[in-house]
Each structure stands twice: as C-alpha cells, then as structure tokens.
Amino acid sequence: MSTNTKINWPYLIAAYFCLFSFGLIENGKGPSYPEILVFFSINPIKGSLLFTLASVASLITTLTASYWLAKFNTLRSLQYFCFIFFAGTFLMGFIPYFYQSYLLFLCGVTISGLAAGATGICMNLMVPEATPPNYRRRVFAGLHSCYGIAACLAPLIINCLRKYNLSWQSYFILTSFLPLIVFVLGFKIKPIQYVQKSKIKDSFLFKKIQIGLFISTYVASEILLSSRMVYFLEKEWLFNKNDSALYLTFFFILLMIGRIIFGLFNLPGKNYSWLIISIILSLLFLTVGINLHPLGLVFCGLTMSMFFPTSMDL
C-alpha cells in the first residue's frame, strides 16, 4: 500500500483527465456507428467487430495486468498505454482518409482496445494509491463523473463537426491527442513509493484479475448499451436521428448526475447494498427499454451510475 495519508492531486488529475479522454473516444463510436457501416459498406454483423475486438483486446490487457504492472509502476503504465491509446485512435481516424479498408481500421480499433483496458485498470488503481480510505467512494464517483461528462460531450462534438462538413474520422483524429497529453505530462509526476512491495506482488495476481474481470464486464455492458442505443432506437422503435441522439444524450446526463451525486454526498448505506440495487434496477430498466418503452434505456444511465464508485471501494 501507499504510505501517503493525504490526497495526491497530480495522480488524481492524471487519472481524471485520462478517463475524460477515454470517455470522449469510446463514446464517439456509438454516434459514428451508422456512418461507419455506410462508409465501409458493411452490415451490422461485420460492424459489430468494432466493439467485439475492442472488448477482447481490453480483456487481454486485463488478464495480463499483473505482469506489466510488476515491471512498470501504475503511473508509468498509464503513460505508456496512453501513448498506445493515442496511436490506435489516430489510426482509426487517419487510415480511412487514404484506404477504405475495414481490416486496417479494425487494427486501429484493436490497438486502441488494448490501451483502453490497461488504462482502465491503472486509473482505478491510482485512486486507492492516492487517497485515504475515507475519501475513496467519493473520489471514485468524481473519477467516473469525468466519463459521464465526456459521454455527454461526445455526440455534441460530433454534431458540431458535421456542421463544418467534418467527418467521423476527424473526430477520432482530434480526440486521439488527449491521451498523448497524459503521456507527456506524466513525466512531471513523481511515482508513489510503496512499502512491503514484495507482498503486494505475491497477492496481486488473483485479486486484481478478479477485479479486472468484474469491472471489464461492467465497462463492456455500458459501452454496448451506449454504442448500440442509437442504432437500436432507429431500427426497432423507428426513431429519427435527432430523437435517437436525444435519448442517448439523456442517458449520459443521468449517468453523469448519478456519479456527481455519489461524488458530492456521502450517501448512507453499505457499498455492497448500493451495488446490488444498481444491478437489479439496471436489469429491470433494460428489460423495460427493450420490450415496453425506450425510456427504460435512458434510466439505465441513472441506475448504472452507482456501480463504479461502489464496486471499486468494496
């Protein structure tokens, strides 16, 4: 464990900005998904590889976390994978300008997915490293509020780019430079020193893989819901593009509001109880959204918002 008893603000700022970057990049895929299908002339089955390969790549770095974290500390690991995140996302936007190759585009997606999984672990490890226990639930909520804010901004930025006749490729090129900022500025942050480092390494593998799989499953479900919502609403509920984008925006607004509430207020109750409530209500609203009314999908944002800050502080 870290010997620090005070909040290490440079660590938290790096983690917060990294998750903000992650949120902008990942949540740009959903609004761009219909255009990507048209651009590469592919059906939704092939298009689903955009999300499948990213999830599989993310799982690989999660399962191997004990090896690369043992070689590099958490901060340096975040930096190096932020550079990889930049490279993969830049390729996603750059390659289609010159080659209309879905295969090459998926190479960028896979590289970006590898980095996304690793940075996700690093960000969530940096919070307990940099904060005392009594602050962690609220700091975790603040961390993932950054994701909610980015998720709200992503479709708005894409719409602004469209007004200036800029394509979805431009969005990924522009957002790719955000993780590069973390990579560069991270060299000015001093890594936290540890005590009993050998014991941490011995017990790290099993516990962190469990946490990584648990969190990766949630991340995959959140990305799956947010990235497919627009397409689902247009195909199954016959929404137009504006209405489907509005529903997605409200989903992210509720996601952000929920995490801000957990960040600003020390809510009563055990973390485990909040986690169970989150899972049950999310499944309920998901069922309602698919079968009865699409507003159920929107309210999943609120019920899912409490998952991260509570699960990471169990």
Side-chain angles (χ1 to χ4, degrees), residues 23-303:
L24 282 179
I25 292 170
E26 289 300 316
N27 289 291
K29 294 178 181 178
S32 303
Y33 182 62
E35 296 177 74
I36 291 174
L37 296 180
V38 174
F39 181 85
F40 290 108
S41 301
I42 54 177
N43 57 40
I45 296 177
K46 289 185 178 180
S48 65
L49 289 174
L50 167 63
F51 308 102
T52 303
L53 287 179
S55 298
V56 171
S58 177
L59 181 61
I60 290 173
T61 48
T62 298
L63 294 174
T64 58
S66 60
Y67 301 104
W68 47 263
L69 276 172
K71 187 172 184 180
F72 309 104
N73 57 59
T74 310
L75 176 62
R76 294 296 177 247
S77 296
L78 181 76
Q79 285 183 263
Y80 300 148
F81 278 106
C82 274
F83 183 82
I84 296 173
F85 208 174
F86 153 72
T89 307
F90 184 82
L91 287 176
M92 288 171 58
F94 183 76
I95 287 175
Y97 273 117
F98 299 96
Y99 304 100
Q100 195 171 345
S101 170
Y102 188 52
L103 180 61
L104 291 176
F105 173 75
L106 290 178
C107 289
V109 169
T110 304
I111 295 171
S112 179
L114 288 169
T119 54
I121 289 179
C122 293
M123 288 182 288
N124 287 294
L125 288 178
M126 289 171 75
V127 169
E129 289 179 0
T131 56
N134 55 314
Y135 286 102
R136 284 176 190 167
R137 190 167 86 173
R138 283 185 283 180
V139 173
F140 270 122
L143 173 67
H144 294 283
S145 294
C146 293
Y147 180 88
I149 294 171
C152 292
L153 291 175
L156 298 177
I157 295 174
I158 289 176
N159 286 335
C160 289
L161 291 176
R162 287 170 180 163
K163 290 182 180 180
Y164 291 98
N165 295 319
L166 295 174
S167 61
W168 58 270
Q169 298 100 308
S170 302
Y171 177 83
F172 289 117
I173 290 176
L174 290 174
T175 54
S176 70
F177 288 96
L178 295 177
L180 190 62
I181 295 175
V182 179
F183 170 74
V184 174
L185 296 183
F187 287 109
K188 296 186 176 294
I189 302 175
K190 184 179 179 181
I192 293 176
Q193 301 298 319
Y194 294 94
V195 296
Q196 297 178 327
K197 190 172 181 180
S198 60
K199 291 184 179 180
I200 292 175
K201 287 185 179 181
D202 292 339
S203 62
F204 182 85
L205 179 59
F206 183 71
K207 182 178 180 180
K208 294 310 177 187
I209 284 180
Q210 280 185 315
I211 294 174
L213 288 173
F214 189 56
I215 297 302
S216 294
T217 301
Y218 167 76
V219 171
S221 65
E222 184 178 310
I223 292 175
L224 181 64
L225 177 58
S226 61
S227 61
R228 300 299 185 88
M229 187 183 296
V230 171
Y231 185 80
F232 175 78
L233 292 175
E234 291 178 5
K235 294 298 180 181
E236 298 297 326
W237 291 96
L238 303 180
F239 277 33
N240 59 45
K241 289 186 179 297
N242 290 333
D243 289 341
S244 58
L246 184 64
Y247 269 57
L248 180 62
T249 300
F250 281 130
F251 166 83
F252 285 127
I253 289 175
L254 290 179
L255 188 73
M256 178 182 63
I257 290 174
R259 285 175 177 162
I260 289 176
I261 291 174
F262 267 80
L264 293 178
F265 304 101
N266 189 15
L267 299 180
K270 297 181 179 179
N271 288 329
Y272 183 77
S273 299
W274 283 108
L275 187 62
I276 295 300
I277 292 172
S278 173
I279 294 173
I280 292 175
L281 290 181
S282 296
L283 291 174
L284 177 63
F285 280 116
L286 180 64
T287 303
V288 171
I290 292 175
N291 298 291
L292 298 177
H293 197 283
L295 275 176
L297 300 177
V298 174
F299 281 100
C300 281
L302 184 61
T303 59

Side-chain angles (χ1 to χ4, degrees), residues 7-19:
I7 295 178
N8 187 317
W9 287 108
Y11 252 52
L12 289 187
I13 291 172
Y16 274 40
F17 188 77
C18 185
L19 190 55

